[in-house]
Amino acid sequence: MIAKENVTRIVEEWLADKDYFLVDVIVSPDNRIVVEIDHAEGVWIEDCVSLSRHIESQLDRETEDFELEVGSAGVGQPFKVLQQYLNYIGEDVEVLARDGKKYKGTLVDANADGFTIEVEARIKPEGAKRPQTVLQALHFTFEEIKYTKYIIRF
């Protein structure tokens, strides 16, 4: 079986002088390799082809046959790496917490410890007759969530 670490190293070599970043590498027991990359401005098919050729040039099909798929991290798919959070700051996201609660709001900050979204909340101030809509910041660690994904608006 082809080692995931070997494929990751090969991909990182190709990424070294580019603005792309690695999202995921999956190697199945039957040597089906899936590589997901991303870029702040989107992924070009020509670059996927170039990366695919680079990977194929570094692996020996005579030793171990494999199937290779190189593509972009899909829009609307859950984020997998911190760089995706950083790229979507200022955008609307959906968060599913481990407790089953779903939140929709604007991603306002992200770092290695977690991320913060702003959500609209209806709060009745003391002495007021009606609730008011206010922005509330919610902070999550990555361990507290099942997923975060970009909300596509048309």
Side-chain angles (χ1 to χ4, degrees):
M1 185 170 129
I2 296 173
K4 177 180 177 176
E5 297 78 21
N6 190 29
V7 177
T8 301
R9 180 189 52 75
I10 293 167
V11 172
E12 287 173 347
E13 286 172 3
W14 184 85
L15 295 172
D17 61 344
K18 297 169 183 63
D19 290 332
Y20 283 95
F21 59 92
L22 180 61
V23 174
D24 202 4
V25 173
I26 300 168
V27 181
S28 67
D30 61 346
N31 283 342
R32 181 172 185 270
I33 303 167
V34 178
V35 176
E36 290 181 357
I37 57 172
D38 208 347
H39 187 282
E41 298 172 10
V43 176
W44 299 98
I45 188 70
E46 295 85 4
D47 291 326
C48 290
V49 170
S50 173
L51 176 55
S52 180
R53 288 182 179 150
H54 178 74
I55 294 168
E56 286 182 357
S57 74
Q58 301 295 311
L59 298 176
D60 183 10
R61 283 194 188 271
E62 298 298 320
T63 306
E64 286 190 275
D65 195 24
F66 58 91
E67 178 183 340
L68 177 61
E69 178 183 326
V70 175
S72 66
V75 172
Q77 295 297 312
F79 297 165
K80 295 180 180 177
V81 296
L82 176 60
Q83 188 63 47
Q84 289 175 296
Y85 285 86
L86 296 173
N87 287 350
Y88 284 97
I89 288 178
E91 301 290 341
D92 291 336
V93 295
E94 177 182 279
V95 177
L96 178 61
R98 293 229 177 257
D99 65 6
K101 291 182 183 173
K102 242 184 214 181
Y103 302 91
K104 290 184 181 182
T106 303
L107 182 61
V108 294
D109 187 37
N111 59 45
D113 298 323
F115 62 96
T116 303
I117 64 170
E118 281 186 344
V119 298
E120 288 185 355
R122 302 275 298 159
I123 296 176
K124 185 176 174 187
E126 190 175 319
K129 292 184 178 185
R130 297 180 184 195
Q132 297 177 348
T133 301
V134 297
L135 286 178
Q136 187 175 44
L138 300 175
H139 181 77
F140 298 92
T141 64
F142 297 110
E143 293 77 29
E144 293 175 318
I145 63 160
K146 290 185 179 181
Y147 69 73
T148 301
K149 56 186 175 180
Y150 171 67
I151 297 175
I152 302 168
R153 300 243 188 252
F154 295 100

